[in-house]
Amino acid sequence: MSGVHLKTYAERSRNHPNPAAKLLLETIERKQTNLSVSVDVTNRKDFLAIIDVVGPFVCLTHVDIIEDFDETLVEQLVALSKKHDFLIFEDRKFADIGNTVALQYSSGVHKIASWSHITNAHPVPGPSIITGLSSVGLPLGRGLLLLAEMSTKGSLATGSYTEEAVRMARAHREFVIGFIAQRRMDGVGLREQDQSSENGDEEDFLVLTPGVGLDVRGDAMGQQYRTPREVILESGCDVIIVGRGIYRKPGNMDIKGVQAQAERYRAEGWAAYLERIKSQ
Amino acid sequence: MSGVHLKTYAERSRNHPNPAAKLLLETIERKQTNLSVSVDVTNRKDFLAIIDVVGPFVCLTHVDIIEDFDETLVEQLVALSKKHDFLIFEDRKFADIGNTVALQYSSGVHKIASWSHITNAHPVPGPSIITGLSSVGLPLGRGLLLLAEMSTKGSLATGSYTEEAVRMARAHREFVIGFIAQRRMDGVGLREQDQSSENGDEEDFLVLTPGVGLDVRGDAMGQQYRTPREVILESGCDVIIVGRGIYRKPGNMDIKGVQAQAERYRAEGWAAYLERIKSQ
């Protein structure tokens, strides 16, 4: 395999044109961690406790499942992001028409664009979903990830769907900073006429990969897990996203256990990265 | 064309096994309207004013764009749904893994499952999205629509994607009551071995169709519009979804104009339906 993933995160950060992607790469390098923690809990107490103990470089949130959400929670989240030096990625998976996603991103109770550095969207509505989100996020220096693949059994994000997602991203490189996917997308969906004009080295899409677990291979609802080593070293992805692998039992949180698990995943993910860049 | 759409809404309601679908068909017949109004405004004052004047049979909501949402808004919405005899359809377009959508549907600030008769989801994660939503919605008598197609330019919900969506629906007929689509899905995705066991008359999937407008053909963000006659008579869909065609300028609402536009769409949609069942 050749490609940008054989460069260090630091090198890539220097050349990246999008401010959110640049910040993400710098933070990964500075904190020596490519682990993103997905905090899928329904109350703010657990939510803030996990983030404070993990001190992630990226905190992946689902604020729409938090029962006692209000604007003071956003203030607390932003304060933690300064304390621990991390980026916030609301895993909203926008999937509506341009006009609606622009409102969902900027407005409502959650006002995601005002505090989340990165968010993501499904390419299924076509390029207008990027136009809609970009109209809100680009002026704020935000970045968007497209869901090019999913980690669930029977996912329809395969083949020509994935190729179209990558083409849509290439056409909007000022705002689309990469993909939620299980592998690198370098060259995917490139047509013959594109290859002359498009130098593969120029494009640096970040690949963030969910469905990562060390102890189990799946859940009862179709989720499938791979190890950090498979994801970072073998598939060349940039960031591992771990949720339930880190906090087992929300509601009855073993906070020391959470910290230990996060450190375990961080160490595995970073070791796989060091091995990858050494193999150059 | 043959199929369930040549029967009356009343006939179809008598045979439908899902309680939300049955209620929907009964309400359409009783109120003589197949117009669903999509209320895409960001404040509760406009939101409640539109619903109160339109008195729809289905009110299609995007509660996640309402700035001043709280549980009292749900109470007011539910009170209006009793006053005007309508169903509530939260157009949430769920699109995550089973474990996450179950939390998004039941929990968070919005608690959608507790008040919305119908919601919708993208099939892209695979069948687990239905399993996740069904674990919450089925015990409450709710119904789910799958987004088999979209009305936007460059939509990826075409071809084999649409076929897979219909197959997923067929495998979960207790909870999936139909589709968001631009045409009927009867027979779509049927494999040869299915045709012997599957009698086409048995399956009654409702088709609800967005992207309906009488005066314009599109917006600047890739939305494309068709007329009620094209949708109901020519394509055999069951319900037209109209948003911006009815309220032109949120914030400066001409409430008499909203009422007049809603009546215009209602009349067009119903006339197209009467013509359709007469053509049998």
Side-chain angles (χ1 to χ4, degrees), chain A residues 28-47:
Chain A
I28 294 176
E29 183 72 37
R30 187 168 57 243
K31 299 188 75 171
Q32 304 218 332
T33 169
N34 50 21
L35 163 67
S36 171
V37 178
S38 177
V39 193
D40 298 342
V41 295
T42 58
N43 69 82
R44 60 196 289 162
K45 189 169 151 281
D46 285 348
F47 179 80

Side-chain angles (χ1 to χ4, degrees), chain A residues 171-222:
Chain A
H172 298 87
R173 282 173 53 185
E174 71 296 348
F175 188 54
V176 181
I177 62 173
F179 304 101
I180 301 295
Q182 297 292 321
R183 58 185 166 114
R184 293 217 67 78
M185 291 292 144
D186 309 339
V188 169
L190 267 188
R191 296 194 185 92
E192 222 165 280
Q193 66 269 33
D194 302 329
Q195 282 168 335
S196 52
S197 64
E198 182 74 59
N199 181 337
D201 287 338
E202 282 182 321
E203 95 184 13
D204 183 354
F205 287 121
L206 292 156
V207 178
L208 282 70
T209 305
V212 175
L214 280 164
D215 305 315
V216 290
R217 302 301 292 178
D219 74 1
M221 286 196 188

Side-chain angles (χ1 to χ4, degrees), chain B residues 47-111:
Chain B
F47 179 79
L48 294 169
I50 292 173
I51 295 169
D52 200 22
V53 76
V54 169
F57 88 94
V58 166
C59 171
L60 193 131
T61 53
H62 277 124
V63 292
D64 53 2
I65 69 172
I66 300 179
E67 306 264 359
D68 45 359
F69 176 94
D70 63 25
E71 62 202 33
T72 67
L73 180 61
V74 169
E75 287 163 19
Q76 289 175 284
L77 177 61
V78 169
L80 279 178
S81 84
K82 286 177 183 151
K83 174 179 168 192
H84 291 298
D85 182 26
F86 66 80
L87 272 77
I88 308 170
F89 165 20
E90 171 63 18
D91 184 15
R92 174 57 177 76
K93 296 188 173 67
F94 289 104
D96 213 314
I97 66 171
N99 184 65
T100 302
V101 295
L103 293 171
Q104 290 170 327
Y105 190 27
S106 62
S107 190
V109 171
H110 297 117
K111 295 179 183 56

Side-chain angles (χ1 to χ4, degrees), chain A residues 100-140:
Chain A
T100 302
V101 294
L103 294 171
Q104 290 171 327
Y105 189 27
S106 62
S107 190
V109 171
H110 297 117
K111 295 179 184 57
I112 296 166
S114 72
W115 50 265
S116 180
H117 301 88
I118 297 169
T119 189
N120 58 0
H122 284 287
V124 60
S128 55
I129 191 166
I130 303 177
T131 321
L133 292 169
S134 170
S135 71
V136 174
L138 197 59
L140 298 170

Side-chain angles (χ1 to χ4, degrees), chain A residues 26-257:
Chain A
E26 285 169 359
T27 312
I28 294 176
E29 183 72 37
R30 187 168 57 243
K31 299 188 75 171
Q32 304 218 332
T33 169
N34 50 21
L35 163 67
S36 171
V37 178
S38 177
V39 193
D40 298 342
V41 295
T42 58
N43 69 82
R44 60 196 289 162
K45 189 169 151 281
D46 285 348
F47 179 80
L48 295 169
I50 291 173
I51 296 170
D52 199 22
V53 76
V54 169
F57 88 93
V58 166
C59 170
L60 193 132
T61 54
H62 278 125
V63 292
D64 54 0
I65 69 172
I66 299 178
E67 306 263 359
D68 44 359
F69 176 93
D70 62 27
E71 60 203 35
T72 66
L73 179 60
V74 169
E75 287 163 21
Q76 289 175 283
L77 176 60
V78 169
L80 280 177
S81 83
K82 286 177 184 153
K83 174 180 168 192
H84 291 298
D85 182 25
F86 66 80
L87 272 77
I88 309 169
F89 165 20
E90 170 64 18
D91 184 16
R92 174 58 178 76
K93 297 189 174 64
F94 289 104
D96 212 314
I97 66 172
N99 184 66
T100 302
V101 294
L103 294 171
Q104 290 171 327
Y105 189 27
S106 62
S107 190
V109 171
H110 297 117
K111 295 179 184 57
I112 296 166
S114 72
W115 50 265
S116 180
H117 301 88
I118 297 169
T119 189
N120 58 0
H122 284 287
V124 60
S128 55
I129 191 166
I130 303 177
T131 321
L133 292 169
S134 170
S135 71
V136 174
L138 197 59
L140 298 170
R142 305 309 189 197
L144 181 71
L145 300 164
L146 284 186
L147 286 125
E149 296 182 326
M150 292 191 78
S151 53
T152 35
K153 202 173 163 186
S155 158
L156 307 185
T158 59
S160 62
Y161 182 102
T162 302
E163 289 174 20
E164 280 300 328
V166 181
R167 285 189 199 116
M168 281 169 55
R170 252 180 225 127
H172 298 87
R173 282 173 53 185
E174 71 296 348
F175 188 54
V176 181
I177 62 173
F179 304 101
I180 301 295
Q182 297 292 321
R183 58 185 166 114
R184 293 217 67 78
M185 291 292 144
D186 309 339
V188 169
L190 267 188
R191 296 194 185 92
E192 222 165 280
Q193 66 269 33
D194 302 329
Q195 282 168 335
S196 52
S197 64
E198 182 74 59
N199 181 337
D201 287 338
E202 282 182 321
E203 95 184 13
D204 183 354
F205 287 121
L206 292 156
V207 178
L208 282 70
T209 305
V212 175
L214 280 164
D215 305 315
V216 290
R217 302 301 292 178
D219 74 1
M221 286 196 188
Q223 176 68 297
Q224 303 173 116
Y225 293 110
R226 297 162 72 210
T227 66
R229 192 181 161 86
E230 286 173 303
V231 164
I232 298 288
L233 182 64
E234 292 172 22
S235 299
C237 304
D238 297 313
V239 170
I240 53 172
I241 300 173
V242 184
R244 284 171 283 165
I246 287 181
Y247 47 90
R248 299 295 156 81
K249 299 168 200 142
N252 184 15
M253 195 79 58
D254 164 17
I255 210 74
K256 282 241 150 84

